[in-house]
């Protein structure tokens, strides 16, 4: 039941962008670590979820090339989990064709995770599916809390800063039940 209450991987990153919070390139997990996550199914699944949320974050802020680079890393992780059909070349091409449409990108990101979830459940790998979903959820919350914590205090007057941060804080608070 908890897994079904988790928001889709793109939801939190796209909500963050909609609040007006600035993009912070230091927040997504670095690509340099991607190969390290192929050491076990546990690490690969968890980090596939993390990279999915990061792709959502990058896409929502129109960071096109980094998002494509993360897609390639996610593809390697998906292949390592025998999920080749969920993140294939056609899907990456579709992602590239829709770079100007945030709604389409969000749908594609969510579709990848949903397809991986279905495939893993069919092959009786529910724990791996749960790890992917948990990774995307945790990363989404990490992105939100990092924006709150790191938002500059000296750039905007307090009222303007609050206008941006209150909706971000609401995103985190709304996840309390989950």
């Amino acid at each position: 039941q908890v897994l079904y209450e988790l928001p889709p991987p793109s939801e939190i990153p796209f909500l963050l962008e909609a609040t007006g919070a600035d993009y912070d390139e230091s927040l997504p997990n670095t690509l340099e670590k991607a190969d390290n996550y192929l050491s076990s199914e546990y690490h690969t699944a968890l980090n596939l979820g993390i990279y999915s949320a990061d792709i959502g974050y990058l896409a929502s802020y129109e960071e096109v090339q980094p998002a494509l680079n993360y897609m390639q890393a996610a593809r390697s992780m998906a292949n390592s989990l025998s999920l080749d059909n969920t993140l294939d070349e056609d899907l990456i091409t579709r992602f590239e064709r829709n770079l100007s449409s945030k709604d389409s990108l969000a749908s594609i990101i969510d579709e990848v995770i949903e397809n991986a979830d279905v495939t893993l459940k069919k092959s009786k790998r529910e724990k791996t599916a749960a790890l992917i979903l948990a990774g995307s959820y945790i990363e989404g919350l990490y992105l939100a809390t990092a924006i709150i914590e790191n938002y500059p205090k000296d750039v905007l007057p307090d009222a303007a800063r609050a206008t941006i941060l209150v909706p971000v804080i609401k995103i985190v608070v709304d996840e309390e039940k989950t």
Side-chain angles (χ1 to χ4, degrees):
Q1 184 177 348
V2 170
L3 292 177
Y4 289 109
E5 291 179 11
L6 294 178
S10 68
E11 184 174 303
I12 293 175
F14 279 80
L15 286 173
L16 292 175
E17 187 272 335
T19 67
D22 293 333
Y23 170 73
D24 183 343
E25 70 181 21
S26 72
L27 295 183
N29 195 6
T30 65
L31 281 174
E32 288 76 29
K33 295 180 182 179
D35 287 340
N36 298 340
Y37 301 135
L38 301 175
S39 61
S40 71
E41 186 166 324
Y42 172 87
H43 287 103
T44 305
L46 192 62
N47 284 284
L48 176 56
I50 289 170
Y51 276 44
S52 297
D54 289 339
I55 292 166
Y57 181 68
L58 294 164
S60 68
Y61 283 93
E62 299 175 356
E63 294 293 325
V64 175
Q65 191 56 53
L68 291 171
N69 295 343
Y70 275 72
M71 278 291 255
Q72 290 298 336
R75 182 178 185 195
S76 177
M77 290 177 193
N79 291 346
S80 175
L81 294 170
S82 300
L83 297 170
D84 312 28
N85 60 333
T86 61
L87 194 53
D88 59 13
E89 197 60 45
D90 291 339
L91 190 118
I92 291 176
T93 301
R94 216 170 100 216
F95 189 84
E96 290 172 339
R97 272 187 297 201
N98 287 284
L99 288 171
S100 61
S101 171
K102 289 182 187 181
D103 289 340
S104 294
L105 294 179
S107 293
I108 292 168
I109 294 164
D110 294 342
E111 178 185 326
V112 168
I113 297 301
E114 186 177 320
N115 290 344
D117 187 52
V118 168
T119 300
L120 288 167
K121 285 178 180 172
K122 281 182 182 176
S123 62
K124 305 288 188 229
R125 295 167 62 198
E126 289 88 356
K127 289 180 183 178
T128 301
L131 285 169
I132 294 170
L133 293 172
S136 72
Y137 178 69
I138 291 166
E139 184 72 352
L141 286 179
Y142 163 75
L143 293 169
T145 57
I147 286 172
I148 294 165
E149 183 178 335
N150 299 331
Y151 206 82
K153 292 173 178 55
D154 56 354
V155 175
L156 298 171
D158 287 344
R161 189 172 183 270
T163 300
I164 292 170
L165 290 182
V166 166
V168 178
I169 293 167
K170 184 176 176 352
I171 290 167
V172 174
V173 170
D174 286 348
E175 295 305 319
E176 179 180 22
K177 181 182 177 192
T178 307

